[in-house]
Amino acid sequence: MQSSVPTEKRTKTSQGKQNRFRFLYSKKLAPYVFVSPFILSFLILFLYPFISAVNMSFQQVLPGQVNYIGMANYSRVFNPTFYTALQNTTIYVILTVVILTVLPLIFAIVLNHRLMKFTNFFRASIFIPALTSVIVAGTIFRMIFGDSDSSVANQFLQFIGLNPVEWRYNAWSAMFLMVTLASWRWIGVNILYFLAALQNVNHDLYEAADIDGANTWQKFKHVTFPAIKPVVIFLTTITTINGFRMFEESFVFFETSSPGNIGLTVVGYIYQEGIQRNDMGFGAAVGIVLLGVIFVVSVIQLFATGAFKKGDA
């Protein structure tokens, strides 16, 4: 009678372990285990900062003192400096979306041609700028586009008979520098996206188009573009969002200020107000407004490109 009690306990313990292992390896728990890293990172890195930013946008944050001030921060957002920053950012977004969509598509089509040689070398080479630090690249660009007559860019202009340019002191040249740096860094990545999409186009469709007598443009319009349209929509959307979030390209050329705010972007304005002037509540309000702008523009863009249509894109 005394020996049966430990045996019963061992049996129950063994069954308990089996139940725990069965639960850990069950199909009901496994999906939650696999998605838990994303859920945790989403909660910690996105949802919590977002809620904190929304809450802070209604506060006046001073050292050791936080006061709720209602909509006072939002009433200050729409001022001339913000409109200048939004205008610069919008021009930057439009230019980068056009350049980083059209040029990579053309280069990808050339690299994907059957007569193209050394394609693997070019594919590896065009990805190098994306691995380069924006600070290092910006420093090199500042040397190339220096304001002195001896800079590389100004020497080239003088060689072709044009006057030197003070690149960082004109609105058009300031925008040119920021767009050129961003395009140089990301054009290779977009080329790889388009190359992957082009290589998945069904070649039977090209053969059918040849039989029907289609020319090069007609094959691109009716075969190639519909096949790579999801990639086009993805790249334009990502480029738009990254354009509105741009800060580094402006900072490496103008640091914290530029003449006449020609290099000021919305994120740079948030940095000026929130960090330099220690007005965290107002900076958070500008950030929430920027989030709304990005959301509205992205939704309009996706509607315009037909991304929400069922069975399309």
Side-chain angles (χ1 to χ4, degrees):
M1 189 67 185
Q2 290 179 350
S3 61
S4 64
V5 175
T7 303
E8 185 177 348
K9 286 183 177 179
R10 286 196 295 270
T11 303
K12 289 182 178 180
T13 303
S14 177
Q15 289 177 347
K17 289 182 178 179
Q18 290 178 356
N19 290 334
R20 284 198 295 271
F21 280 114
R22 191 179 297 115
F23 175 72
L24 290 176
Y25 289 102
S26 66
K27 293 183 179 179
K28 294 182 179 178
L29 181 64
Y32 297 101
V33 172
F34 286 121
V35 300
S36 60
F38 167 75
I39 293 175
L40 290 175
S41 61
F42 174 79
L43 294 175
I44 296 173
L45 301 177
F46 179 79
L47 188 60
Y48 174 72
F50 172 72
I51 295 174
S52 298
V54 173
N55 183 47
M56 189 180 294
S57 67
F58 296 102
Q59 296 174 337
Q60 183 185 37
V61 182
L62 300 174
Q65 184 180 3
V66 176
N67 299 316
Y68 280 93
I69 56 174
M71 300 293 291
N73 287 326
Y74 286 97
S75 65
R76 297 165 48 205
V77 168
F78 299 99
N79 59 72
T81 306
F82 173 78
Y83 286 125
T84 301
L86 184 61
Q87 178 183 347
N88 293 337
T89 305
T90 303
I91 295 173
Y92 174 87
V93 168
I94 294 172
L95 293 176
T96 51
V97 167
V98 173
I99 293 173
L100 289 176
T101 303
V102 176
L103 290 183
L105 178 58
I106 295 173
F107 288 133
I109 292 173
V110 173
L111 288 175
N112 195 51
H113 197 276
R114 64 181 184 276
L115 298 179
M116 187 69 187
K117 303 294 183 184
F118 309 111
T119 54
N120 291 332
F121 169 77
F122 288 117
R123 289 173 187 173
S125 301
I126 59 179
F127 195 73
I128 292 177
L131 304 177
T132 307
S133 166
V134 65
I135 301 300
V136 175
T139 303
I140 296 173
F141 268 67
R142 286 185 63 162
M143 296 173 64
I144 296 174
F145 295 96
D147 298 323
S148 66
D149 294 348
S150 59
S151 66
V152 175
N154 280 335
Q155 283 187 343
F156 175 76
L157 291 179
Q158 294 175 75
F159 176 76
I160 61 176
L162 299 177
N163 295 323
V165 175
E166 293 182 332
W167 296 96
R168 294 190 300 127
Y169 295 94
N170 299 294
W172 70 268
S173 56
M175 184 59 65
F176 170 80
L177 293 178
M178 293 187 292
V179 171
T180 302
L181 177 58
S183 301
W184 176 79
R185 289 187 66 213
W186 298 116
I187 194 170
V189 177
N190 290 4
I191 289 174
L192 294 182
Y193 276 117
F194 280 124
L195 271 174
L198 289 171
Q199 290 173 359
N200 287 325
V201 179
N202 190 350
H203 286 271
D204 294 339
L205 297 177
Y206 289 118
E207 294 177 1
D210 289 332
I211 294 172
D212 292 337
N215 56 33
T216 304
W217 169 249
Q218 290 172 330
K219 284 191 285 187
F220 173 80
K221 182 179 179 182
H222 298 291
V223 177
T224 305
F225 189 78
I228 65 173
K229 185 179 176 182
V231 176
V232 175
I233 295 174
F234 170 75
L235 289 180
T236 54
T237 305
I238 292 297
T239 306
T240 301
I241 295 173
N242 288 335
F244 278 109
R245 293 171 53 240
M246 188 271 284
F247 174 71
E248 299 93 338
E249 283 80 0
S250 172
F251 187 81
V252 295
F253 286 117
F254 306 103
E255 298 181 0
T256 56
S257 64
S258 58
N261 289 328
I262 57 176
L264 182 64
T265 62
V266 177
V267 177
Y269 185 51
I270 295 173
Y271 178 79
Q272 283 185 358
E273 297 295 329
I275 304 300
Q276 290 186 307
R277 298 176 184 173
N278 201 25
D279 195 349
M280 300 293 289
F282 180 67
V286 178
I288 297 301
V289 172
L290 175 62
L291 179 65
V293 171
I294 293 175
F295 177 78
V296 171
V297 172
S298 299
V299 170
I300 293 174
Q301 184 179 12
L302 292 175
F303 264 115
T305 54
F308 291 141
K309 291 181 180 178
K310 191 174 182 180
D312 193 7

